[in-house]
Amino acid sequence: MIHTFSSCGCNLALDVGSGALHALDAVAWDALRLRERGAADEDILRALAPAHSREALAEALAELDALCAQGSLGAPDDCRDVDRDAISEGAGLVKAMCLHAAHDCNLRCAYCFADAGDFHLAGRGLLSFKVGKAALDWLVARSGGRRTLEVDFFGGEPLMNFPVVRRLVAYGRTLEAASGKRFLFTITTNGLALDDENMGFIVREMHNLVLSIDGRPEVHDRMRPTVGGRGSYASVAPKALALARKRGQRQYYVRGTYTAYNLDFAEDVLALADAGFEQISVEPVVTDPANPFALTADMLPALEAEYERLARIYLERRVGGRWFNFFHFVVDLSGGPCLKKRLLGCGAGNEYVAVTPTGDIYPCHQFVGREGYRMGSVLSGDFDKSIQRMFAANHVLNKPACGSCWAKFLCSGGCAANAQAFHGTIREPYELECALQRKRLECAMAIWAVEHAET
């Protein structure tokens, strides 16, 4: 499969099977697009004669033939030689955990999938050291030979339970010495409770950091008020920026959400960059379509155009010395993850789980509270391996909708939680998510092509 597209002034062709990206001149672009439609070379020469000379067309067709012979154009992409059962090998080993430090929050974000922190469960609560310790012990015991383990302190708002977070990190360090493992701790915070003490701890102990800010102050405050209904931007942004700078602008993301209220979300990305953040992710809201701020299919043309606009500004700024990094425009076409990782994606429910303050285990933070997806408990030790096997088998080759999609090896089949929420099954991807992901990938590849062009 070959995907031809234009973005950021570039005509490009992605060879899905090999992963090769080709920048095309006008002659090769026109010729390849006709070939994609099944045209024979003589038909191409006749059809394009008014626009290009026969010599230029013949040269372009010969170059396309050479790429095919090299295996970088028209390579098989059906993975017919891949053992599908082997993709799921390793099920039973867990390497990453989203540890819910708090099922409570000091904000009341309108789009919160966790229902303001309690995850639609019975009441609010904080993780105890006992349960957290059991969770870390469980992760070590379930990780097999994996040496590096990842733990994200999540909520709600984990800084509401900062003393327990501190104790658990200290306990994790003792486990490292005893087990030979290495913990990479992360914390995801709305930033409202940041102070000198916890910022110092985060800089010292957290391998990564996610800070939640939506962009422009008015956009942020509309969706992310405090419990008392006041805007939170003025309280959050200065502390978040101070923490980003303390980390040397590395190993963090400021993470926003855009909705139907700000389809011009590029302005929010740029507002965050102008505020001084260098690592930025602003992502589409996923919510009940009945909500007034939900994104719907009719908005897709505007959203795609906004990504294209952002990509062009992004390139201009990076070239002009106003550098920042946008998460969804980062793609590694020179190496990247192995085929198994490309097929399996984030590993939710298989290599990655979420643990609640009561010790219950779920496939990921977004599945917490969903009926039928409780996998067990770190306290009792019970664990439903049938759910784990189901998620291990939830790879691209087992998703019918992914088979004909050019982005399948770059997006890994989309979010299982979104699929389940919209279709009741983890194997049927959420269509709007897919469309936006495809557009972001086109922009990311165009940016990559421009920045890696021979000079």
Side-chain angles (χ1 to χ4, degrees):
M1 186 190 310
I2 301 168
H3 175 60
T4 54
F5 64 99
S6 296
S7 179
C8 298
C10 302
N11 291 330
L12 300 165
L14 172 70
D15 185 62
V16 176
S18 67
L21 182 68
H22 304 282
L24 305 175
D25 62 18
V27 184
W29 169 259
D30 289 343
L32 180 57
R33 285 170 65 83
L34 285 178
R35 271 195 175 180
E36 282 186 290
R37 299 171 197 160
D41 285 2
E42 280 303 318
D43 295 328
I44 293 171
L45 291 169
R46 281 194 297 271
L48 296 179
H52 307 295
S53 71
R54 188 175 183 89
E55 293 76 13
L57 284 168
E59 183 179 355
L61 290 170
E63 290 175 350
L64 294 175
D65 287 338
L67 292 174
C68 291
Q70 293 167 9
S72 63
L73 194 66
D77 61 88
D78 56 7
C79 295
R80 67 185 67 183
D81 298 327
V82 174
D83 183 346
R84 298 192 179 207
D85 293 331
I87 298 170
S88 303
E89 286 178 2
L93 301 181
V94 182
K95 68 175 182 179
M97 174 181 289
C98 182
L99 185 53
H100 291 207
H103 274 193
D104 200 355
C105 193
N106 46 15
L107 293 184
R108 291 295 181 265
C109 303
Y111 48 59
C112 182
F113 73 88
D115 195 28
D118 69 4
F119 286 81
H120 309 277
L121 297 170
R124 301 180 183 277
L126 301 180
L127 178 74
S128 69
F129 177 71
K130 175 185 175 181
V131 174
K133 177 176 178 293
L136 297 185
D137 289 338
W138 184 93
L139 180 57
V140 169
R142 289 275 175 179
S143 61
R146 297 181 184 273
R147 182 175 180 272
T148 300
L149 305 178
E150 302 168 20
V151 176
D152 179 17
F153 292 104
F154 197 75
E157 174 47 50
L159 290 184
M160 296 178 71
N161 198 13
F162 181 61
V164 168
V165 170
R166 288 191 69 134
R167 289 184 67 192
L168 289 172
V169 170
Y171 179 67
R173 300 304 178 212
T174 67
L175 286 178
E176 288 177 329
S179 66
K181 306 288 185 180
R182 176 180 177 231
F183 280 98
L184 301 181
F185 290 108
T186 296
I187 193 163
T188 298
T189 176
N190 61 39
L192 195 62
L194 285 172
D195 57 29
D196 289 341
E197 180 188 5
N198 54 39
M199 281 197 281
F201 179 82
I202 288 169
V203 170
R204 290 191 309 273
E205 297 289 352
M206 296 296 163
H207 176 72
N208 213 334
L209 164 70
V210 180
L211 295 157
S212 299
I213 306 177
D214 279 354
R216 291 164 289 182
E218 64 273 19
V219 169
H220 177 98
D221 286 343
R222 180 173 191 169
M223 302 303 290
R224 301 183 66 84
T226 65
V227 174
R230 299 186 305 275
S232 60
Y233 182 91
S235 298
V236 167
K239 293 184 285 190
L241 182 58
L243 181 51
R245 287 173 172 163
K246 285 177 183 290
R247 292 180 69 85
Q249 292 285 3
R250 298 186 301 274
Q251 296 299 109
Y252 83 95
Y253 269 101
V254 58
R255 196 272 194 203
T257 299
Y258 71 81
T259 73
Y261 296 149
N262 59 314
L263 298 183
D264 60 342
F265 60 85
E267 296 304 312
D268 295 291
V269 176
L270 299 175
L272 290 168
D274 290 341
F277 295 102
E278 293 185 7
Q279 308 294 337
I280 302 169
S281 174
V282 174
E283 307 191 22
V285 70
V286 178
T287 188
D288 186 335
N291 283 325
F293 52 81
L295 300 174
T296 52
D298 61 298
M299 301 174 187
L300 185 57
L303 295 173
E304 290 177 330
E306 190 69 354
Y307 276 117
E308 182 70 21
R309 183 171 81 91
L310 176 59
R312 290 173 180 268
I313 297 171
Y314 183 73
L315 271 172
E316 291 172 4
R317 287 202 172 197
R318 285 164 67 94
V319 171
R322 301 174 68 188
W323 187 95
F324 69 94
N325 211 30
F326 183 61
F327 180 82
H328 288 294
F329 288 168
V330 177
V331 61
D332 183 1
L333 296 177
S334 60
C338 65
L339 178 61
K340 184 174 180 180
K341 178 68 174 176
R342 289 177 185 271
L343 296 176
L344 278 170
C346 71
N350 178 24
E351 298 177 325
Y352 163 63
V353 298
V355 176
T356 72
T358 58
D360 289 335
I361 305 168
Y362 287 88
C364 81
H365 57 290
Q366 293 200 66
F367 276 101
V368 170
R370 295 192 191 182
E371 186 176 353
Y373 287 94
R374 181 186 176 276
M375 300 178 75
S377 170
V378 299
L379 296 177
S380 66
D382 66 297
F383 188 63
D384 190 339
K385 290 186 177 181
S386 67
I387 297 178
Q388 188 179 36
R389 287 191 293 269
M390 176 179 70
F391 276 86
N394 187 43
H395 52 73
V396 167
L397 302 185
N398 285 338
K399 296 180 181 181
C402 296
S404 59
C405 178
W406 62 263
K408 57 189 174 184
F409 298 140
L410 296 173
C411 87
S412 306
C415 173
N418 291 345
Q420 192 277 329
F422 282 87
H423 296 301
T425 172
I426 63 175
R427 291 206 177 181
E428 187 176 346
Y430 171 42
E431 295 86 352
L432 184 57
E433 175 192 18
C434 294
L436 293 176
Q437 179 70 309
R438 285 191 290 265
K439 181 56 187 177
R440 291 192 300 246
L441 284 168
E442 287 184 342
C443 291
M445 288 188 288
I447 290 164
W448 190 93
V450 171
E451 294 190 334
H452 288 78
E454 294 183 2
T455 56

